[in-house]
């Protein structure tokens, strides 16, 4: 084959391999649904449990980086402490070795039939669940097909003297191999692809085991770069989690290089005793490295957390997503007390909506991204509490309730729905401001001043609605109804004024759309504040 064909096969195979990994991981994630986030939430009570959760989630996602990014999000959200996150990151490193073991099975000859089965499930069956399984199967087949093409493109390397000399140098100088592995993994953004490539080269006899192993260690360092890139400009928690990933793999690499002859002899011994094929030998080496690294560093999780906290200083304000008051024991023993607990959680949820609205008003004012991030976090917290509180209230409804408790139950159900909708409107305003920044839409000073005035009125109205809910104060609730009339009048007035500005050429059409949509969202928040107040009045009657 000519050089062009070989290059096409290698890079095309690499592309198909990466697509297969991503497609399969996306399919597995769809099959698992929200259970991935719940699993990380529930089974990370300590670092050891975090390791197992990290392994399981990474096997499903087929990417340790994906698990790390998900973990960073949970740390930001207050679902998980940094210590718990370190356990998950360690587990992710073990979970990512599964791909190498899959490759070691060597079923490339069946890759096309597997792709055909996956395609049939995707295109010829209308059920969404079956389509998701089809996506997993298709990605699995594509992984092997891409790997086979890569292998064909790499075959001539065995006869290339320059490559043979390079492998000898890597065997003599392991640090060179580590550097090459790191650079290649950074380039392709996938340690699975790098290790799959290594397995192919070793299988074809193009590299010796003592040259392959240092590159393998470098692949583990290279995979942390994606997390570092994701953490640039992100929160303090995100930076700390990303740095943890780097330190963990660096320490592991240093340790294994110190005892490299022992590690090499162990892998060689297992290959012979277990009758491993060459790709499976690399898979075992990868697995032993990551499992050993985790076992060595797991007792020092607290120390690792202290180190990264010192290296990345700063305060991180975390929103505690988890429900604080929803104790299921009260449901059976005393539904009335359970309702009181639910009300406390609803008030907490309402406080999140108030804080989110304040954050989005500041984002609109100064355009600082941290306000947008905080508003988005509050909206996510509202969504989580919406689900938890609703489930809790549904369980209470199966119990015998007095007339008064039934009224309170209905009021809480309605209020939760209204607060959740307020969260959606907050998110809408964040997106509108993002659009304004991205498309460089300029608003006049008058328009900004008008929005500031309406934000102040809307925030005040929502605060009073929440206070009436907390205190059961019908006078405050009636005051909310009066303020909502002011919001409606202001909305109509601001629309007219802005249309006049657009007609006079003082504001662009794009600015007009953003302005009117923000005003509309604020008016809807006022409506939901009224609904909360009316629910309070109805419950007291």
């Amino acid at each position: 084959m000519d050089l062009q064909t070989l290059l096409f096969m290698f890079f095309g195979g690499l592309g198909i391999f990466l697509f297969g990994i991503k497609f399969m991981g996306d399919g597995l994630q769809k099959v698992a649904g929200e259970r991935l986030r719940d699993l990380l939430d529930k089974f990370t009570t300590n670092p050891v449990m975090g390791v197992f959760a990290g392994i399981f989630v990474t096997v499903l996602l087929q990417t340790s980086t994906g698990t790390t990014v998900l973990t960073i999000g949970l740390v930001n959200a207050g679902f998980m402490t940094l210590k718990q996150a370190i356990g998950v990151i360690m587990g992710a490193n073990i979970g990512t070795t599964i791909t190498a073991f899959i490759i070691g099975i060597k079923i490339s000859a069946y890759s096309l039939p597997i792709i055909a089965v996956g395609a049939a499930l995707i295109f010829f069956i209308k059920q969404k669940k079956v389509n998701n399984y089809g996506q997993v199967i298709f990605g699995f087949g594509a992984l092997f097909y891409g790997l086979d093409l890569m292998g064909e493109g790499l075959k001539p390397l065995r006869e290339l003297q320059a490559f043979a000399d390079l492998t000898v140098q890597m065997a003599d100088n392991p640090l060179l191999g580590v550097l090459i592995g790191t650079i290649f993994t950074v380039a392709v953004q996938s340690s699975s692809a790098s290790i799959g490539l290594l397995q192919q080269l070793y299988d074809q006899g193009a590299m010796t085991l003592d040259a392959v192993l240092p590159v393998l260690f470098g692949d583990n360092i290279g995979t942390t770069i994606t997390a570092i890139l994701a953490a640039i400009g992100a929160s303090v928690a995100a930076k700390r989690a990303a740095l943890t990933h780097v330190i963990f793999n660096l320490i592991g690499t240093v340790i294994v290089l110190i005892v490299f002859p022992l590690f090499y002899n162990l892998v060689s011994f297992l290959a012979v005793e277990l009758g491993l094929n060459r790709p499976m030998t690399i898979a075992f080496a990868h697995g032993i490295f990551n499992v050993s690294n985790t076992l060595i560093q797991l007792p020092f999780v607290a120390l690792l957390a202290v180190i990264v906290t010192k290296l990345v200083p700063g305060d991180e304000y975390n929103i505690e997503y988890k429900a604080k008051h929803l104790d299921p024991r009260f449901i059976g023993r005393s539904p009335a007390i359970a309702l009181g607990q639910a009300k406390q959680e609803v008030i907490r949820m309402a406080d999140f909506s108030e804080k989110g609205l304040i954050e989005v008003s500041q984002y609109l004012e100064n355009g600082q991204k941290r306000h947008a991030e905080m508003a988005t976090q509050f909206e996510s917290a509202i969504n989580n509490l919406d689900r938890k509180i609703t489930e809790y209230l549904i369980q209470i409804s199966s119990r015998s309730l007095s007339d008064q408790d039934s009224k309170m139950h209905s009021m809480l159900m309605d209020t939760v729905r209204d607060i959740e909708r307020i969260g959606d409107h907050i998110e809408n305003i964040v997106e509108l401001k993002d659009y304004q920044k991205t498309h460089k839409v300029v608003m006049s000073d008058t328009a900004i001043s008008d929005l500031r005035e309406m934000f102040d009125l809307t925030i005040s109205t929502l605060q009073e609605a929440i206070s009436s809910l907390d205190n059961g104060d019908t006078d405050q609730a009636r005051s909310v109804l009066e303020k909502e009339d002011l919001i409606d009048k202001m909305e109509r007035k601001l629309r007219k004024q802005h249309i006049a500005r657009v007609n006079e050429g003082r504001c662009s059409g794009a600015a007009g759309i953003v302005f009117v949509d923000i005003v509309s969202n604020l008016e809807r928040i006022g409506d939901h504040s009224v609904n909360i107040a009316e629910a309070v009045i109805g419950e007291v009657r």
Side-chain angles (χ1 to χ4, degrees):
M1 285 187 284
D2 58 59
L3 179 61
Q4 178 180 298
T5 304
L6 291 172
L7 288 174
F8 283 1
M9 289 183 73
F10 172 72
F11 287 109
L14 178 62
I16 293 171
F17 178 88
L18 291 172
F19 171 77
I21 288 276
K22 178 74 166 61
F23 202 60
M24 181 169 69
D26 289 348
L28 285 165
Q29 194 168 3
K30 288 175 187 174
V31 170
E34 287 293 318
R35 284 172 288 180
L36 286 182
R37 189 184 183 103
D38 291 340
L39 185 141
L40 284 177
D41 176 21
K42 292 175 184 175
F43 298 103
T44 54
T45 50
N46 59 65
V48 176
M49 291 298 292
V51 169
F52 287 110
I55 292 170
F56 185 72
V57 172
T58 304
V59 169
L60 287 180
L61 293 179
Q62 285 296 298
T63 164
S64 58
T65 303
T67 305
T68 304
V69 170
L70 185 59
T71 303
I72 287 168
L74 290 170
V75 173
N76 265 343
F79 267 117
M80 195 183 293
T81 65
L82 181 60
K83 289 180 185 177
Q84 291 171 321
I86 291 171
V88 176
I89 289 168
M90 290 178 174
N93 271 42
I94 297 174
T96 196
T97 65
I98 299 301
T99 307
F101 280 101
I102 292 171
I103 293 168
I105 298 169
K106 292 192 74 172
I107 56 172
S108 297
Y110 304 100
S111 59
L112 290 176
I114 292 170
I115 289 172
V117 171
L121 294 177
I122 293 170
F123 292 107
F124 300 125
I125 297 178
K126 300 301 181 186
Q127 292 180 11
K128 192 70 178 173
K129 190 174 182 180
V130 176
N131 294 160
N132 292 339
Y133 281 109
Q135 183 172 337
V136 174
I137 294 168
F138 186 96
F140 186 71
L143 182 158
F144 280 101
Y145 183 63
L147 195 66
D148 200 37
L149 287 176
M150 269 201 299
E152 288 297 317
L154 291 170
K155 275 184 179 177
L157 285 178
R158 287 179 298 182
E159 298 155 11
L160 197 63
Q161 187 58 43
F163 185 77
D165 294 340
L166 179 62
T167 58
V168 171
Q169 289 176 27
M170 285 190 288
D172 293 339
N173 183 6
L175 286 175
L176 176 62
V178 171
L179 180 63
I180 289 171
T182 302
I183 292 171
F184 186 76
T185 304
V186 170
V188 299
Q189 293 286 290
S190 169
S191 61
S192 295
S194 303
I195 293 163
L197 175 65
L198 273 181
Q199 288 173 296
Q200 289 291 305
L201 289 169
Y202 184 55
D203 191 28
Q204 294 168 7
M207 292 180 74
T208 57
L209 184 61
D210 53 352
V212 167
L213 292 178
V215 181
L216 183 70
F217 309 146
D219 291 340
N220 276 274
I221 296 173
T223 195
T224 66
I225 302 301
T226 308
I228 292 172
L229 294 174
I232 292 173
S235 64
V236 172
K239 290 173 183 172
R240 286 173 180 167
L243 184 59
T244 299
H245 200 191
V246 176
I247 292 174
F248 174 72
N249 282 295
L250 280 174
I251 291 173
T253 300
V254 170
I255 292 171
V256 80
L257 285 176
I258 292 171
V259 297
F260 184 71
L262 290 174
F263 186 82
Y264 171 80
N265 290 334
L266 174 62
V267 174
S268 300
F269 172 78
L270 289 175
V272 174
E273 288 298 312
L274 300 177
L276 303 176
N277 63 38
R278 284 176 163 250
M280 192 61 82
T281 300
I282 302 304
F284 264 78
H286 192 207
I288 292 167
F289 170 72
N290 281 299
V291 171
S292 302
N293 192 18
T294 298
L295 291 175
I296 290 168
Q297 296 193 55
L298 190 57
F300 304 102
V301 164
L303 178 61
L304 196 53
V306 170
I307 290 169
V308 296
T309 302
K310 293 287 186 185
L311 291 173
V312 184
D315 296 324
E316 184 65 28
Y317 178 64
N318 291 328
I319 302 163
E320 193 172 346
Y321 279 32
K322 289 185 178 180
K324 286 184 173 181
H325 306 96
L326 306 182
D327 192 333
R329 291 174 296 182
F330 288 125
I331 295 173
R333 294 176 186 174
S334 175
I337 293 176
L339 278 172
Q341 296 292 101
K343 182 180 178 181
Q344 289 304 308
E345 206 60 56
V346 171
I347 290 166
R348 197 165 152 260
M349 182 182 174
D351 286 338
F352 283 160
S353 70
E354 177 197 334
K355 289 172 181 173
L357 187 58
I358 291 170
E359 289 292 341
V360 81
S361 71
Q362 291 175 327
Y363 181 45
L364 199 73
E365 190 81 26
N366 57 37
Q368 292 180 6
K369 198 66 182 172
R370 63 187 176 89
H371 292 302
E373 289 171 356
M374 287 301 300
T376 303
Q377 282 190 41
F378 279 120
E379 201 275 332
S380 296
I382 289 167
N383 286 341
N384 181 65
L385 289 180
D386 168 41
R387 190 169 69 251
K388 298 295 184 185
I389 296 169
T390 302
E391 288 172 0
Y392 192 75
L393 288 172
I394 288 171
Q395 291 177 39
I396 294 174
S397 66
S398 64
R399 302 290 170 175
S400 179
L401 300 175
S402 66
D403 289 343
Q404 187 62 34
D405 286 344
S406 292
K407 280 185 178 181
M408 184 177 181
H409 184 276
S410 298
M411 183 268 287
L412 292 176
M413 288 289 282
D414 291 340
T415 301
V416 166
R417 187 169 57 249
D418 281 303
I419 296 170
E420 192 278 329
R421 292 296 297 132
I422 288 171
D424 290 343
H425 290 299
I426 289 169
E427 187 177 35
N428 291 345
I429 298 172
V430 169
E431 290 172 356
L432 287 165
K433 178 62 179 180
D434 287 341
Y435 175 88
Q436 183 199 349
K437 288 176 67 178
T438 303
H439 294 84
K440 296 181 172 56
V441 175
V442 179
M443 283 192 192
S444 66
D445 291 340
T446 307
I448 292 170
S449 176
D450 287 346
L451 285 177
R452 190 182 299 127
E453 184 183 356
M454 189 163 184
F455 258 107
D456 289 343
L457 180 57
T458 307
I459 291 169
S460 171
T461 304
L462 178 59
Q463 287 172 334
E464 198 153 10
I466 295 168
S467 180
S468 72
L469 172 66
D470 191 7
N471 303 315
D473 190 329
T474 53
D475 289 336
Q476 274 191 319
R478 290 189 181 91
S479 174
V480 171
L481 306 189
E482 294 170 6
K483 281 189 174 180
E484 204 273 334
D485 284 339
L486 294 177
I487 291 175
D488 287 345
K489 289 175 183 175
M490 184 178 288
E491 189 231 2
R492 290 192 292 270
K493 183 183 80 171
L494 295 186
R495 279 177 183 269
K496 288 178 183 177
Q497 288 177 349
H498 202 70
I499 290 169
R501 284 195 294 272
V502 171
N503 290 338
E504 292 166 7
R506 288 188 288 150
C507 264
S508 66
I513 292 169
V514 172
F515 179 90
V516 168
D517 282 352
I518 291 173
V519 167
S520 178
N521 276 282
L522 289 173
E523 191 272 332
R524 293 295 296 137
I525 290 172
D527 289 344
H528 290 295
S529 301
V530 166
N531 291 345
I532 294 169
E534 287 179 339
V536 171
I537 294 169
E539 195 256 336
V540 171
R541 280 176 184 160

